Amino acid sequence: MHLTWPQPARVALVLALLWVAYVLLWTPGPFSLRLLGLYPKKLGSRVVGWAAARSLPHAWREPLLGRFAGHFGIDLEEAEHALGDYPSLQALFTRRLKAGLRPQDAPLPGALNSPVDARIIASGRIQADTAIQAKGLPYRLSELLKHERGADRFEGGQYLTLYLSPKDYHRIHVPLEGKVTAVSRVEGELWPVNDASTGAIPRLYERNRRAVWTALGAGTCEGLEVAAVLVGATHVGGVVIDARWLGGRSLPEDGGFPVNLLPCAPGEDLGTFEFGSTVVLLIGGPRARDWAPLRTEGSVKVGQRLGAYR
């Protein structure tokens, strides 16, 4: 009996259809999120990032950027420059604010100030290398940090998850007085980090692209160690650590390096998101159990106190 094999194109089509059926029928989350599983998120993010960085003709800036700002509710009164002075959509997203708009709360023992304008969407105590993403979904700090030394230094401490929407100010600032010890980057996926995703995609923050900045507390924050994890998302491929902390080096695509205890102060530049995303703030160190959050939900602005020693 002569056997004939199916044509390769037919086999590929069947496999593709099976994959589509799996994504749409058996992956978790709402149907819109399952559809996103079919979208090439990294390629799409690169294309959107490229388009957002293109310089706009001066005559187009106010009508196009103004419509975009109005759609998302961006407060242009806070922006450092007039709308027509931003050459691209990316420049508007990574805008600075007018001087003095985000004063830092006065220092207190153990005081940490918010690094971003955001909404606190999760908080709690770190136990057994675990934090909670949303709706009881756990993730592991050792995987979140990946290239950093042992995550056990955060055991018994606190985590705060701060979500930035497209309307928010997208620069990230130093939350404490201290000395920077390390920076790293983790290559990963680019799933959305909105409410639908955080409540449905297991280990979302472990899976997405991210950058990590860590510092030891000094002065009034002696006894703390803090990690700011900048989590990327769909169309937020750019997760940027400020050049000051890199010492003229570039972060590897998936790796990191120590920083020689560079001093840092609340409000200094830490990094930038290109579009909105999420910062997971980890509070550890020998005095972590003495630290208590003052805010565990709701909106917060850069410089407002998140917590301090009891």
Side-chain angles (χ1 to χ4, degrees):
M1 183 175 62
H2 179 69
L3 296 176
T4 58
W5 295 97
Q7 295 179 0
R10 187 172 298 173
V11 172
L13 177 60
V14 169
L15 291 175
L17 290 174
L18 288 173
W19 177 70
V20 169
Y22 170 77
V23 169
L24 294 180
L25 298 176
W26 286 286
T27 53
F31 186 73
S32 59
L33 198 58
R34 284 177 271 162
L35 276 176
L36 190 59
L38 303 175
Y39 174 64
K41 292 176 281 297
K42 287 189 178 182
L43 175 60
S45 296
R46 283 197 295 270
V47 170
V48 169
W50 177 87
R54 296 309 92 197
S55 184
L56 297 170
H58 201 281
W60 294 10
R61 294 176 188 175
E62 288 199 21
L64 289 181
L65 297 181
R67 181 172 297 180
F68 190 88
H71 176 74
F72 285 107
I74 296 173
D75 187 354
L76 296 174
E77 291 298 316
E78 293 189 332
E80 181 182 37
H81 301 300
L83 190 60
D85 292 334
Y86 292 101
S88 66
L89 181 58
Q90 195 66 271
L92 177 64
F93 261 101
T94 57
R95 67 195 177 278
R96 290 190 179 276
L97 302 181
K98 292 174 181 174
L101 279 182
R102 295 290 187 274
Q104 296 288 311
D105 280 354
L108 286 176
L112 297 183
N113 295 343
S114 178
V116 286
D117 286 6
R119 177 168 57 93
I120 301 172
I121 60 171
S123 63
R125 190 164 293 281
I126 298 164
Q127 296 179 317
D129 189 35
T130 299
I132 301 301
Q133 179 176 297
K135 297 183 179 179
L137 290 176
Y139 63 95
R140 296 163 295 176
L141 266 62
S142 53
E143 288 298 322
L144 182 74
L145 298 174
K146 190 176 179 180
H147 300 301
E148 303 291 324
R149 63 183 177 84
D152 56 348
R153 67 197 192 275
F154 294 101
E155 188 68 24
Q158 300 277 341
Y159 67 91
L160 290 163
T161 306
L162 302 111
Y163 169 71
L164 290 77
S165 70
K167 71 178 177 60
D168 287 317
Y169 168 59
H170 282 60
R171 290 183 178 265
I172 303 121
H173 295 268
V174 171
L176 81 165
E177 178 184 2
K179 296 178 181 179
V180 181
T181 57
V183 290
S184 62
R185 185 179 186 275
V186 182
E187 182 54 29
E189 303 172 52
L190 287 172
W191 285 94
V193 292
N194 55 23
D195 291 341
S197 298
T198 55
I201 299 176
R203 302 175 13 259
L204 176 62
Y205 303 140
E206 286 182 39
R207 295 167 62 171
N208 269 16
R209 181 181 297 168
R210 56 201 180 276
V212 183
W213 176 98
T214 58
L216 294 171
T220 60
C221 291
E222 190 78 37
L224 293 179
E225 183 165 6
V226 169
V229 184
L230 285 53
V231 183
T234 309
H235 302 152
V236 192
V239 183
V240 181
I241 297 288
D242 193 80
R244 174 183 173 182
W245 315 115
L246 305 183
R249 295 172 286 183
S250 297
L251 273 179
E253 188 172 280
D254 203 346
F257 46 78
V259 176
N260 191 24
L261 298 178
L262 283 176
C264 61
E268 293 180 333
D269 287 341
L270 188 160
T272 308
F273 279 131
E274 296 175 348
F275 293 95
S277 197
T278 292
V279 173
V280 179
L281 198 63
L282 306 176
I283 300 99
R287 292 200 63 187
R289 292 185 183 276
D290 299 331
W291 191 88
L294 298 175
R295 302 168 184 266
T296 58
E297 61 183 5
S299 297
V300 67
K301 298 291 187 183
V302 168
Q304 291 181 335
R305 187 170 297 118
L306 292 174
Y309 289 144
R310 295 182 178 89

